[in-house]
Amino acid sequence: MSLDDQFNKAVEDVKELASTPSDADLLEIYALYKQATVGDCNTARPGMLDFKGKAKWDAWNGKKGLSQDDAKQQYVDKVEALTQSIGKK
């Protein structure tokens, strides 16, 4: 199975987790997904009162320089770890 196939499967698998992952895990998944699909962060940091938006932006910006293939592999690995620890629906 190619890396793109594994990534696409992981994107579907994350929707089937038995419970919601922790906030830290959600931010990690978000950042890796954005880095894998878009590349380096290309937007301005959200305003001071947008706490959720800033947290997401900071997480994604923290992946700057990571190649899209490396981000896909890390995403697949993270979802597999969450699937093992949380389980599927």
Side-chain angles (χ1 to χ4, degrees), residues 4 48 72 75 83:
D4 285 336
M48 184 172 60
K72 286 179 183 178
Y75 183 92
T83 301

Side-chain angles (χ1 to χ4, degrees), residues 5-71:
D5 291 339
Q6 292 177 33
F7 177 75
N8 291 331
K9 182 181 181 308
V11 168
E12 294 305 314
D13 287 349
V14 81
K15 297 173 189 174
E16 299 296 321
L17 291 173
S19 63
T20 304
S22 69
D23 288 344
D25 287 335
L26 288 173
L27 283 173
E28 180 75 7
I29 290 168
Y30 171 81
L32 289 170
Y33 179 84
K34 291 293 280 187
Q35 189 69 22
T37 56
V38 178
D40 286 343
C41 187
N42 58 3
T43 61
R45 190 168 192 249
M48 184 172 60
L49 298 177
D50 184 359
F51 300 112
K52 185 176 179 180
K54 284 194 310 187
K56 290 168 71 173
W57 188 92
D58 288 343
W60 180 19
N61 196 52
K63 301 296 180 190
K64 186 176 276 187
L66 183 65
S67 75
Q68 287 183 291
D69 284 344
D70 287 344

